[in-house]
Amino acid sequence: MDSTKTQRSRQQLKWLQFKFLDINQYIADFKDLANLSGYTVRNDKTINLFLKGFENAHDVLGGILAPPILTTYYELKDRVINITKSWQLINTIQRNTPGGFNSY
């Protein structure tokens, strides 16, 4: 029973994807699935799975992997939170500015 739950959690973790600007949900889901899968955040495989979740968010992934290269889960998590906050601010500015940035 437990091995089935672990396998299912690992499969879900493998397919988990970041949905643009919903970083808190992605981190919470990732952390829960990693724990259920028996992975620790200090494991390279876990860090790679965390990064894989951003494969469809190229701008965010590019920011995460920008120099200096970070190597711990906690560093990567903090960086992606900051990047996402910046994108949220950009989107808010663009929505509230007639014509977006191009009008300036």
Side-chain angles (χ1 to χ4, degrees), residues 3-102:
S3 65
T4 302
K5 185 176 182 178
T6 300
Q7 283 301 109
R8 193 170 51 249
S9 297
R10 287 181 179 184
Q11 194 65 16
Q12 288 174 318
L13 187 61
K14 183 179 175 183
W15 296 108
L16 182 66
Q17 291 292 305
F18 167 72
K19 293 176 182 73
F20 194 64
L21 299 182
D22 198 3
I23 190 60
N24 293 330
Q25 188 63 53
Y26 176 77
I27 289 172
D29 290 345
F30 182 86
K31 191 174 181 181
D32 289 344
L33 289 170
N35 286 334
L36 290 171
S37 298
Y39 295 141
T40 65
V41 293
R42 289 181 175 84
N43 182 320
D44 285 343
K45 181 173 185 154
T46 309
I47 291 170
N48 288 338
L49 286 168
F50 180 76
L51 292 172
K52 184 180 180 310
F54 296 95
E55 67 186 350
N56 294 322
H58 299 285
D59 292 336
V60 176
L61 185 59
I64 296 169
L65 298 176
I69 300 297
L70 305 176
T71 56
T72 71
Y73 168 79
Y74 296 105
E75 292 172 330
L76 292 167
K77 181 182 83 164
D78 289 344
R79 183 176 280 181
V80 76
I81 288 169
N82 289 330
I83 291 167
T84 304
K85 284 181 182 179
S86 294
W87 277 105
Q88 288 169 337
L89 179 59
I90 289 167
N91 284 342
T92 299
I93 291 169
Q94 287 178 330
R95 277 194 313 271
N96 293 326
T97 304
F101 289 127
N102 295 333

